[in-house]
Amino acid sequence: MTIEYKYEHFLVRAIGLEGVEAKRYVAQVVGMLRALDSLRTGRAVQTFIRAASQWTRVQPYDGRGGPCNAWGGGNNDGGSIFFTPLTFAKAPCASSGAAGNTPMEILMHELVHVVRVISGNWLKGSVTKGDEELIAVMITNILSSELNRCLRGGYGSFPCVNSPIGEYQTSYYKAYLPLIETVHKQNQSLARVLARIDVPFNPIRMYYQRTQPGVW
Ligand SMILES: [Zn+2]
């Protein structure tokens, strides 16, 4: 029998694990979801998921994308995440950089994918798979900034951004304005909450400050 636990709109299932390992998995993941909920960026994303009528299922990472990975997405039935907290700590890619690859940041990245899917915006319009990854990296970087962690410079590896954060944000804003606008247009309820988070790196806040004074 699969050990599982319902936590708000999440169904955490220890598929493929037995006994103590299964209980530990469920406890770790639920603990991480609760911890993320105590951070402003994590709470914004989870509030959106809570408001959805569907479940988001979380189960151990199945290795489909190589040893160093996790999956997040879903379908018409709801959100789906394949994630094992220590995959990254054990895998070789943990040494490829220091940004964005703590278990909390990886889970956050997958939660952003879930939001995009359950809001019906995954690959919507001209949005590409690469854009979806960049959206997840951008919102996870807001969390990393909230945690005083270094920022992830892009998708595919985990090097820290080493330019001063203000400079990086200004150049990021110029380079990725269409992507920021996409988040604002397609996930407006989430974007408005994220824009209120006053942390050193928050290009969504910058967008609202520059374009929507008084509206948020
Ligand atoms: Zn991703």
Side-chain angles (χ1 to χ4, degrees), residues 61-203:
Y61 174 58
D62 55 5
R64 269 189 291 168
C68 189
N69 223 324
W71 293 107
N75 53 35
N76 294 339
D77 289 343
S80 177
I81 291 177
F82 291 78
F83 164 78
T84 299
L86 293 180
T87 298
F88 278 75
K90 283 181 188 163
C93 76
S95 61
S96 72
N101 61 356
T102 61
M104 289 282 271
E105 287 163 323
I106 297 298
L107 180 56
M108 181 72 190
H109 178 107
E110 305 311 336
L111 288 169
V112 175
H113 286 332
V114 166
V115 165
R116 295 281 306 158
V117 169
I118 64 178
S119 64
N121 290 303
W122 179 261
L123 302 179
K124 191 174 180 183
S126 60
V127 176
T128 65
K129 179 73 179 20
D131 294 334
E132 292 293 352
E133 294 301 344
L134 291 173
I135 290 169
V137 170
M138 173 171 66
I139 295 176
T140 302
N141 268 340
I142 299 172
L143 175 81
S144 302
S145 189
E146 187 179 359
L147 291 168
N148 287 318
R149 294 247 311 139
C150 73
L151 304 179
R152 184 176 175 185
Y155 180 66
S157 60
F158 302 92
C160 281
V161 168
N162 49 30
S163 47
I165 208 157
E167 258 174 48
Y168 177 70
Q169 173 157 266
T170 304
S171 63
Y172 182 95
Y173 187 85
K174 276 189 204 146
Y176 292 103
L177 184 56
L179 195 75
I180 299 164
E181 254 166 357
T182 296
V183 175
H184 160 67
K185 284 183 184 147
Q186 295 187 342
N187 292 104
Q188 201 165 121
S189 59
L190 173 63
R192 278 180 199 283
V193 180
L194 289 173
R196 294 188 195 114
I197 302 174
D198 188 5
V199 290
F201 179 82
N202 188 344

